[in-house]
Amino acid sequence: MASHVAGAKKVFDLIREEEKRQKEVLEMIPSENYASANVMRATGSVLTNKYSEGYPHKRYYQGNSVADKVEDYAQELVKKLFDVPHVNVQPYSGSPANAAVYLALMEPFKDKVMGLTLSFGGHLTHGSPVSFSGKYFPVVSYPVGEDGYLDYDAIEKMAVKEKPKLIICGFTAYSRIIDFKRFGEIADKAGAYLLADISHITGLVVAGVHPSPVPYVHIIMTTTHKTLRGPRGAMLMVTEKGIKKDPELAEKIDKAVFPGLQGGPHDNTTAAIAVALEEASTPAFKKYGAQIVKNSKALAKQLIKNGFDLVSGGTDNHLILIDLQNKNVNGAAAALALEVAGIVTNKNAVPKDPMPPFYPSGIRLGTPALTTRGMKEKDMVKVANWIKEVVLEVSGQQMPRDKEQRSEFWKKFRKEVVKNKKLLAIAKEIKVFAGKFPVPGIQ
Ligand code: DSN
């Protein structure tokens, strides 16, 4: 695609380089995916030229007859697919969408939020002290239990005692089914609003391989570019239960998004969200969602066979969190070695991690993008075996605890790992293997 464009040579050369990278590696960051050619076409369309402050049929600028139809259509698709009475498709991405929920419902420095601790798999915007959510709102955060699963009894106890105004469920590094029904009962008992941040699992919910939060929560936030396979963006849905709790909830959310936080919506993104929703409404997408989970389970099984320690002992969804402490290698080092070998994951904290966030003890990986390329369970066995070989190659090169020694170690490790012959040989094998699986949207 990039090669047909005249001008802007440097940028389009770089885009071509990125196309090549995306084709030649195994993209295993669980929040990433490959958008279809149609999603990208809509993202790059003339709708990028338009300003549409406001909402359909109530705009502050002229010339919005088409933008109105696009946004109406996107809303209609969401309502049908998720069975919700209200949706706002304008949030620029997940963090601003979550910020809109705080703006709609919470009084700063007074109302309390309760979310999963960042290092246990929560998101920055769920109350981390480094984000606006922890800076402007009192926070009480819940951990996962010793077994890596959510401890619903402990969460209930905390909610009843702390009386947060808002409880957030839905996570970025949790590999098990979320019991939204139980969360709903807990929020009701505590008198709290319940927000489900389903960014990671939306595609699985749509495909019917993860229970839907719709009957149990008041608000749902999801990004649109992860398992849903759309453009980078987000949506905020209000449920029947939400409207019953607060008849003005939909209006409060809309006002918080615009004019509270944002200006003009990105109409090109809205159009691409509509394309992704059309795609997600097909039987093929249901199959896709089911295959993501099958692949994830197959990958987990082989990783366990290969001696890896998985948080919670496995997975029910699209992602796996590996605790590398038994392999004597840090997550940052393993992630870099894997990248050299052509396997793209991310370093990640594990529960009770003794190491700091930049050098955490684990890696997080998942199957949404590989499944989009058509890979199946037998392919996951190969991938797990490559992961074993790579980790074995760098195992024993432990990250020092001392800060100064750590920085020396990291400098040396980074310099050497990119030249590691074994890893480069695996990268070659992976390039050949990956080449057999087409990437939608890249010719
Ligand atoms: N950055 C996303 C993820 O990787 O999970 C969350 O916002």
Side-chain angles (χ1 to χ4, degrees):
M1 207 192 300
S3 57
H4 302 306
V5 182
K9 182 170 182 327
K10 186 177 169 77
V11 173
F12 285 101
D13 281 351
L14 287 172
I15 292 175
R16 204 157 42 237
E17 197 178 322
E18 175 62 5
E19 286 178 355
K20 187 169 173 298
R21 188 196 70 79
Q22 290 193 13
K23 276 204 274 198
E24 291 180 353
V25 301
L26 300 174
E27 288 288 0
M28 298 192 73
I29 293 173
S31 47
E32 292 186 3
N33 213 329
Y34 296 104
S36 69
N38 281 344
V39 164
M40 288 196 278
R41 201 170 296 146
T43 307
S45 70
V46 290
L47 285 159
T48 204
N49 300 336
K50 193 67 201 104
Y51 252 124
S52 314
E53 265 103 330
Y55 289 100
H57 318 287
K58 282 169 280 171
R59 305 285 189 185
Y60 289 81
Y61 288 69
Q62 298 313 120
N64 274 303
S65 55
V66 177
D68 280 356
K69 286 182 202 160
V70 169
E71 194 166 339
D72 277 342
Y73 183 50
Q75 289 180 0
E76 193 188 300
L77 288 166
V78 179
K79 287 183 197 170
K80 198 163 155 211
L81 198 56
F82 289 87
D83 196 19
V84 288
H86 182 80
V87 63
N88 186 313
V89 294
Q90 295 193 4
Y92 298 147
S93 204
S95 295
N98 280 340
V101 176
Y102 286 81
L103 187 62
L105 302 179
M106 309 271 281
E107 200 174 312
F109 307 109
K110 178 173 168 270
D111 292 332
K112 206 180 272 178
V113 58
M114 181 169 151
L116 181 66
T117 315
L118 182 70
S119 57
F120 283 82
H123 188 254
L124 281 165
T125 56
H126 298 180
S128 160
V130 296
S131 107
F132 73 89
S133 58
K135 282 188 196 291
Y136 295 115
F137 300 93
V139 175
V140 48
S141 45
Y142 51 94
V144 291
E146 289 297 330
D147 56 2
Y149 281 76
L150 291 166
D151 178 345
Y152 293 95
D153 291 339
I155 293 169
E156 177 169 330
K157 235 183 178 172
M158 186 182 275
V160 170
K161 178 167 172 262
E162 299 285 344
K163 291 257 171 298
K165 176 96 179 265
L166 176 68
I167 297 177
I168 306 179
C169 57
F171 316 105
T172 65
Y174 186 66
S175 62
R176 296 300 183 176
I177 297 286
I178 302 165
D179 187 345
F180 290 119
K181 184 167 187 281
R182 185 74 200 274
F183 264 112
E185 288 159 5
I186 292 169
D188 291 346
K189 222 169 169 179
Y193 284 99
L194 182 59
L195 163 66
D197 178 342
I198 61 166
S199 298
H200 265 259
I201 55 168
T202 326
L204 306 185
V205 170
V206 168
V209 291
H210 190 292
S212 166
V214 170
Y216 311 112
V217 310
H218 304 111
I219 305 164
I220 297 166
M221 193 290 286
T222 181
T223 50
T224 48
H225 47 272
K226 298 187 174 88
T227 46
L228 193 60
R229 229 163 39 180
R232 299 193 87 87
M235 323 192 278
L236 278 163
M237 299 172 234
V238 178
T239 63
E240 296 283 1
K241 183 175 172 178
I243 291 172
K244 205 163 157 208
K245 178 174 171 67
D246 180 352
E248 287 169 14
L249 190 55
E251 199 186 329
K252 285 181 187 170
I253 293 286
D254 282 353
K255 278 193 174 153
V257 173
F258 173 85
L261 272 175
Q262 298 188 173
H266 296 172
D267 297 322
N268 54 326
T269 302
T270 307
I273 289 174
V275 173
L277 291 164
E278 280 183 349
E279 292 171 359
S281 307
T282 60
F285 194 87
K286 280 204 182 335
K287 263 196 193 160
Y288 166 63
Q291 191 62 48
I292 290 177
V293 177
K294 282 186 206 162
N295 283 351
S296 189
K297 283 182 184 289
L299 182 66
K301 193 172 162 198
Q302 188 65 21
L303 286 169
I304 291 168
K305 217 169 163 188
N306 289 348
F308 284 99
D309 178 11
L310 308 194
V311 173
S312 89
T315 183
D316 298 325
N317 61 18
H318 63 302
L319 76 78
I320 291 165
L321 190 54
I322 307 181
D323 184 337
L324 290 163
Q325 289 175 97
N326 70 341
K327 296 286 178 195
N328 243 328
V329 63
N330 181 266
L336 183 54
L338 284 163
E339 184 183 356
V340 173
I343 302 173
V344 183
T345 64
N346 67 272
K347 61 187 173 190
N348 212 94
V350 296
K352 299 197 176 147
D353 204 320
M355 295 295 285
F358 201 76
Y359 299 108
S361 301
I363 52 169
R364 186 185 68 152
L365 66 171
T367 55
L370 297 190
T371 309
T372 293
R373 295 184 77 163
M375 292 184 198
K376 297 271 166 51
E377 291 94 317
K378 63 177 187 334
D379 305 307
M380 296 304 112
V381 173
K382 282 190 191 148
V383 173
N385 291 343
W386 273 314
I387 292 173
K388 177 187 169 187
E389 279 186 61
V390 172
V391 171
L392 201 67
E393 183 63 17
V394 289
S395 152
Q397 299 192 50
Q398 191 53 289
M399 183 82 67
R401 293 278 176 99
D402 174 81
K403 240 179 159 177
E404 225 159 86
Q405 285 177 12
R406 193 160 65 212
S407 130
E408 275 312 299
F409 165 85
W410 190 232
K411 228 190 276 167
K412 190 163 171 275
F413 182 85
R414 289 210 306 186
K415 214 166 135 194
E416 286 171 0
V417 76
V418 290
K419 294 185 270 181
N420 182 300
K421 287 207 171 82
K422 169 101 186 163
L423 302 183
L424 293 170
I426 295 174
K428 269 192 189 155
E429 284 174 37
I430 286 181
K431 186 175 158 184
V432 173
F433 172 77
K436 295 181 192 145
F437 299 91
V439 176
I442 305 180
Q443 283 135 19

